[in-house]
Amino acid sequence: MALWRCSSSWLSSVSRSSGGVGGGESKVSPEIAPVSGGEGEEEGDEERWSRLLPELLTEIMRRVDAGAERWPPRRDVVACACVCRRWRDAAVSVVRPPLECGRITFPSSLKQPGPRDAPMHCFIRRNKKNSTFYLYLSLTQALTDKGKFLLAARRFRNGAHTEYIISYDCDDLFPGSNSYVGKLRSDFLGTKFIIYDSQPPYDGAKPSRSQSSRRFASKQINPNVSGGNYEVGQVSYKFNFLKSRGPRRMQCNIQCPVGQSTASDPLKEKPISTSSPLALRNKAPRWHEHLQCWCLNFHGRVTVASVKNFQLVAPAGTSDPWGIADEETVILQFGKIEDDAFTMDYRQPLSAFQAFAICLTSFGTKLACE
C-alpha cells in the first residue's frame, strides 16, 4: 500500500503561535516510506488495496474511526480516505458529520453545522504583526493547548473597506488559491460585514454579482476554480451616538443549511438542498453593582474582560427549523483569555466557517459603537 502524505496545514496537529509554529515544533503528518520498484509497483499496491471486499473495507474504516476519537490520531481516518476512490467512499459511509458525532474529521466538516447536544470548543490566536488569525480545535479541556489547526484568516485593506481572506492553509491566504474558503468584507466604518462563501451553500445558490464580491480582479485563469462568491450572512453593530455605557450590540443574519446529509465527503463540498435564514443577537449582559461592570456567564471559558466578548442567541420564533431549545441557548460564544488568544465555542446550526467569520468582526476598533 502506498502510504499517504499531506504537507498542508489541515493535517498539522501542532499549534502555531503568533509568530509561526508553536514551540519550534514541526508539523505532524504521515510520511512516505521508501518505495522500491518505481511507479508501477506503487500503482500495483494501490490497485490491490482497492480490490478489498466491500464488507472488509467498511469494517476496517469502522475500526479506524472508532479508535481515533480525537486529533492527532484522527488523521488516520483522513489518510485512509485518501488511498483511492473506494476507500474514500467507505470513509464517507462510516464517518458521521459534526452534527451527529460532535467531531471534525474532513475539511468539508468546517462548513457543516456544529454539534447538536454540546458546543464545539475552539480557540483563536491573533498575530498583530501581520494581521493574521488562526482557528484551532481544542484537544483538551484546557482553554488553550497545542490544538488542531482548522482555518486561517488575514486582514487586508481594500480601498475604503477591510477584507478578511479565510483559507484552509495558513501559508496560502490569497483569494485565487485552491485553499480559499471565503471572505469577510466590512464597510468604511467597520460596523457592517458581509460573509462570502467560495462554494454554493445550497442547491441553486447564485453567486453575488457585485464586483467587490468576486475572487479575481482580472480575467479568471483556472476554469475549475469558481470566480464568484456566495453571500451567506451579514453582521451589523448598532451605533451608539449617545455614548451610553454598555457593551457592543450586534445582530447577525446567517443562511444556515436545513436537512444536512449524514455523510461527509472529504474532498468535495456537496451543496445542501435547502437553507433557511437565522437571526441572532448578542445576549444582553447585566450590570454588577459590586464589581461595577457588565457581566455575562461564560462558564469559565473566558477569563479577561473585553468589549470584544459576546454570546449570540436566537430570538423567540426563529429557532424552529433547528430545534434550538430556547432563547437562553447560546449558539456562539467568543471571549478573551490572553492578550492574543480567544475562545470560540459554537453549535448547530452554525458551522465552524460561519462562526469564525462572525468572530472576526469583533476585532478592530469601532468608535461609533462603543
Side-chain angles (χ1 to χ4, degrees):
M1 174 183 177
L3 296 182
W4 177 88
R5 181 184 183 185
C6 182
S7 60
S8 67
S9 301
W10 174 252
L11 281 173
S12 172
S13 298
V14 179
S15 172
R16 288 174 177 263
S17 64
S18 59
V21 178
E25 300 182 43
S26 59
K27 293 181 179 179
V28 179
S29 60
E31 294 294 331
I32 291 180
V35 178
S36 59
E39 210 172 291
E41 182 177 336
E42 183 176 341
E43 292 177 356
D45 289 342
E46 182 174 325
E47 184 179 353
R48 284 195 294 271
W49 281 98
S50 66
R51 290 201 300 261
L52 285 176
L53 292 174
E55 296 81 3
L56 177 59
L57 183 54
T58 301
E59 182 61 24
I60 292 175
M61 287 306 309
R62 283 202 185 100
R63 296 193 180 192
V64 173
D65 180 63
E69 293 188 357
R70 290 180 174 271
W71 287 85
R74 196 145 187 83
R75 67 184 181 183
D76 295 339
V77 180
V78 182
C80 289
C82 293
V83 171
C84 62
R85 182 177 294 276
R86 286 195 61 197
W87 282 64
R88 184 186 71 183
D89 293 340
V92 167
S93 66
V94 170
V95 177
R96 316 318 297 168
L99 181 66
E100 298 180 15
C101 69
R103 297 191 295 264
I104 291 177
T105 305
F106 304 120
S108 58
S109 304
L110 301 178
K111 291 188 178 180
Q112 297 174 336
R116 179 186 294 111
D117 300 325
M120 187 81 75
H121 289 175
C122 306
F123 63 93
I124 298 173
R125 289 198 179 276
R126 173 180 59 180
N127 187 335
K128 292 181 180 179
K129 294 182 179 179
N130 57 10
S131 299
T132 308
F133 307 85
Y134 305 97
L135 175 65
Y136 298 93
L137 175 68
S138 297
L139 303 181
T140 65
Q141 294 300 318
L143 295 180
T144 58
D145 47 39
K146 286 188 174 181
K148 165 70 185 77
F149 172 80
L150 300 179
L151 292 169
R154 177 172 292 174
R155 182 169 54 206
F156 295 92
R157 195 70 183 176
N158 187 359
H161 303 271
T162 300
E163 292 185 352
Y164 293 81
I165 303 300
I166 304 175
S167 172
Y168 289 124
D169 191 340
C170 56
D171 297 320
D172 191 7
L173 292 162
F174 299 97
S177 71
N178 292 329
S179 301
Y180 174 78
V181 179
K183 74 175 183 178
L184 178 71
R185 180 179 172 85
S186 75
D187 63 357
F188 174 71
L189 296 176
T191 57
K192 293 184 179 180
F193 297 81
I194 300 178
I195 303 172
Y196 293 101
D197 196 334
S198 63
Q199 300 292 330
Y202 57 91
D203 193 15
K206 296 182 180 180
S208 178
R209 295 184 178 182
S210 64
Q211 186 67 25
S212 61
S213 68
R214 291 192 59 81
R215 292 176 58 179
F216 306 100
S218 58
K219 186 177 180 180
Q220 185 176 347
I221 298 175
N222 186 355
N224 296 322
V225 179
S226 173
N229 280 296
Y230 299 82
E231 183 177 331
V232 294
Q234 296 184 4
V235 181
S236 61
Y237 290 82
K238 289 188 176 181
F239 288 101
N240 185 10
F241 293 110
L242 300 179
K243 298 297 180 180
S244 58
R245 298 175 65 188
R248 297 171 176 173
R249 293 177 295 171
M250 60 186 298
Q251 291 183 339
C252 304
N253 289 285
I254 308 295
Q255 288 290 333
C256 295
V258 178
Q260 172 73 36
S261 60
T262 57
S264 303
D265 191 327
L267 300 179
K268 183 180 179 182
E269 296 167 4
K270 295 182 179 179
I272 315 270
S273 57
T274 60
S275 73
S276 181
L278 172 68
L280 299 174
R281 59 171 176 81
N282 66 305
K283 189 175 182 180
R286 62 181 180 84
W287 178 256
H288 198 292
E289 290 293 343
H290 179 69
L291 298 177
Q292 290 294 297
C293 65
W294 296 94
C295 296
L296 274 174
N297 185 6
F298 288 93
H299 302 282
R301 294 284 296 166
V302 177
T303 58
V304 180
S306 173
V307 71
K308 296 179 177 62
N309 302 345
F310 66 80
Q311 291 178 330
L312 293 183
V313 296
T318 62
S319 59
D320 292 341
W322 304 280
I324 300 174
D326 50 50
E327 290 186 67
E328 297 300 314
T329 302
V330 177
I331 308 299
L332 173 60
Q333 175 176 286
F334 174 77
K336 193 172 185 177
I337 53 176
E338 297 174 8
D339 186 34
D340 291 310
F342 306 79
T343 55
M344 186 196 88
D345 304 335
Y346 75 98
R347 63 193 306 162
Q348 69 120 2
L350 290 182
S351 65
F353 163 68
Q354 292 171 330
F356 186 41
I358 294 174
C359 292
L360 288 175
T361 67
S362 188
F363 293 100
T365 303
K366 299 174 176 59
L367 297 176
C369 306
E370 301 170 0

